[in-house]
Amino acid sequence: MHKKLFIPGPTEVRKDIREAMNFPMFGHRMPETTQLMGEVADKLQKLLYTNNFIVISTSSATGLMEACSRNLIKNKGLHLTCGAFSDRWAKISKACNKDVDVVEYEWGKGTPASDIEEKIKTGKYDAVFVTHNETSTGVLNPLKDIGEMMKNYPDVLLAVDAVSSMAGTEIRVDDWNIDVVLASVQKCFALPPGLAIASVSDKAMEFSAEVEDKGFYFDFQAFKKYWDKAKQPPTTACLNLIAALNYQLDKIINQEGIENRVKRHKEMAEIVQNWTRENFDFFADQNYLSPTVTCIKNTKGISVASLNEELGKRGAVISNGYGKLKEQTFRIAHMGDITVDEIKWLLGEIDNIIS
Ligand SMILES: *Cc1c(COP(=O)(O)O)cnc(C)c1O
């Protein structure tokens, strides 16, 4: 039996999306690619409320996290960490031989804009790296506040990992002053994995042009060069997935509507949050609860492994805690194309199993 995915990526992929990937191949230097990538970029600009350059990368999101580390730091970067994925970004910068300061918050806490401002004021940093939605802990950081604060520091770039929030929460790139925001498509976009996208501001592009030793595959300038020529990718891209993204963006923008999609994620989150309050407790600080994934503190000491085994027999799978939180927490993802009714069904099944 297929187990419906209530895990924070990959998420459940609808049949019509799978079918949108099934077409005769064309070449990445052919006009079909120009047409396809042009359409995708226009729609992503709409989704993100921006006019910024769109990077479409055949890689997972981690590739574009590395792109940010390589393109946006000349002297020094600042990482704010509050969980496994923000930790990973700091590690990536270090692995690229970049000089970074890392401000660590306890897992489960959010990163307030005022704290970031304290650090940025020092004038030491080229860029600050923020994780919008920390998937390991179920924390949503206050991106709008952070972006608005950054307006006072025009010489510092803001790079954002929105892997598990983009297409599930509102992100207003231009209003919020975000230089780079990146995501992969196997989370709230509800597509199969293998593709990542980002918007990159002119300021970030100009900065990147002056940075040396960026490597080859993830140089923003390479993406721009091929885009300016013919709206094509620098190397052979996962064109089937890009076509599926084009199809899904139509559904998101024209059928469901961006605002309705955000509303549905909020509604699903509230249902899971109410259930969590009644049955368990939150791992995350309740001021920062994520609208796309809830990390539940296992206060009843249930076996998450056996819960998942039982759920499997009923056709669903949830996620255990990430890394060091494995049995202490479990996570229910309410992201992508999962519906309110499916979330209610899942919680009913969990109730039956644990009662
Ligand atoms: C899933 C996830 C990543 C990693 O994405 P990949 O596409 O697997 O590289 C990074 N950051 C966050 C917040 C995530 O949820």
Side-chain angles (χ1 to χ4, degrees):
M1 189 191 351
H2 171 67
K3 293 178 196 162
K4 202 164 270 179
L5 301 176
F6 294 91
I7 60 175
T11 57
E12 198 60 24
V13 179
R14 292 196 320 261
K15 186 155 178 277
D16 57 324
I17 289 181
R18 303 196 305 264
E19 285 166 358
M21 301 179 51
N22 185 0
F23 53 84
M25 205 61 245
F26 46 80
H28 66 299
R29 296 286 172 249
M30 285 164 58
E32 287 89 335
T33 296
T34 300
Q35 173 75 22
L36 171 63
M37 300 218 11
E39 286 181 23
V40 168
D42 285 349
K43 291 171 197 172
L44 284 170
Q45 285 179 327
K46 255 191 206 137
L47 179 76
L48 297 171
Y49 303 92
T50 186
N51 293 314
N52 285 349
F53 175 56
I54 300 291
V55 167
I56 300 168
S57 168
T58 297
S59 67
S60 84
T62 305
L64 286 183
M65 290 162 79
E66 180 157 333
C68 288
S69 298
R70 289 183 179 278
N71 284 267
L72 306 181
I73 306 173
K74 222 181 293 176
N75 295 313
K76 209 174 180 65
L78 174 67
H79 282 274
L80 288 308
T81 70
C82 60
F85 290 104
S86 38
D87 276 356
R88 181 191 286 183
W89 211 356
K91 277 197 197 114
I92 292 170
S93 288
K94 288 176 189 166
C96 294
N97 277 324
K98 296 293 185 176
D99 184 10
V100 292
D101 285 341
V102 182
V103 181
E104 292 180 44
Y105 291 79
E106 205 184 309
W107 284 35
K109 297 268 183 278
T111 39
S114 53
D115 285 20
I116 300 174
E117 183 162 24
E118 283 304 307
K119 297 297 273 181
I120 289 180
K121 266 187 193 159
T122 61
K124 286 197 289 193
Y125 303 109
D126 299 319
V128 53
F129 298 79
V130 175
T131 303
H132 186 205
N133 192 66
E134 183 41 88
T135 317
S136 61
T137 62
V139 161
L140 185 81
N141 280 311
L143 186 55
K144 178 171 187 261
D145 295 351
I146 293 169
E148 281 173 355
M149 175 276 289
M150 292 291 293
K151 277 183 194 155
N152 302 323
Y153 304 91
D155 295 337
V156 185
L157 299 164
L158 173 59
V160 178
D161 165 351
V163 177
S164 59
S165 53
M166 190 187 291
T169 68
E170 184 183 59
I171 299 177
R172 290 186 174 265
V173 166
D174 291 355
D175 288 352
W176 300 355
N177 224 30
I178 302 168
D179 290 293
V180 181
V181 63
L182 65 96
S184 40
V185 297
Q186 77 276 15
K187 303 212 174 169
C188 298
F189 285 98
L191 299 177
L195 174 65
I197 62 99
S199 76
V200 183
S201 70
D202 291 346
K203 199 165 76 176
M205 287 304 298
E206 282 158 24
F207 186 92
S208 147
E210 304 297 317
V211 181
E212 286 170 19
D213 299 327
K214 283 170 289 191
F216 188 85
Y217 196 68
F218 290 117
D219 183 353
F220 286 150
Q221 306 301 319
F223 286 92
K224 188 73 170 57
K225 185 174 138 200
Y226 283 87
W227 190 263
D228 289 346
K229 252 194 243 167
K231 297 190 180 178
Q232 289 175 351
T235 59
T236 322
C238 50
L239 295 165
N240 298 68
L241 259 175
I242 296 172
L245 176 60
N246 194 28
Y247 173 85
Q248 174 70 326
L249 283 167
D250 264 340
K251 298 279 167 187
I252 293 174
I253 295 167
N254 301 321
Q255 193 169 322
E256 183 171 27
I258 300 168
E259 284 170 16
N260 288 333
R261 192 174 180 83
V262 169
K263 223 194 276 168
R264 174 169 57 79
H265 279 83
K266 255 189 209 145
E267 201 181 334
M268 294 192 295
E270 277 164 16
I271 292 167
V272 176
Q273 287 162 8
N274 288 337
W275 179 86
T276 302
R277 261 182 215 105
E278 276 168 32
N279 294 283
F280 291 92
D281 201 355
F282 296 102
F283 178 77
D285 180 335
Q286 290 194 42
N287 294 315
Y288 295 96
L289 291 181
S290 162
T292 62
V293 58
T294 300
C295 184
I296 298 153
K297 207 192 264 177
N298 186 4
T299 50
K300 291 183 172 156
I302 60 165
S303 159
V304 176
S306 8
L307 169 60
N308 242 340
E309 211 177 293
E310 283 305 312
L311 276 174
K313 293 177 193 162
R314 299 155 198 236
V317 58
I318 59 168
S319 190
N320 54 19
Y322 195 99
K324 63 185 183 188
L325 302 176
K326 197 162 186 159
E327 279 285 319
Q328 295 169 45
T329 64
F330 58 96
R331 291 172 299 158
I332 298 176
H334 25 87
M335 64 173 74
D337 286 336
I338 287 286
T339 64
V340 169
D341 284 343
E342 286 171 318
I343 283 292
K344 287 180 180 164
W345 168 80
L346 173 76
L347 297 176
E349 294 301 325
I350 297 178
D351 283 340
N352 289 337
I353 294 165
I354 62 178
S355 68

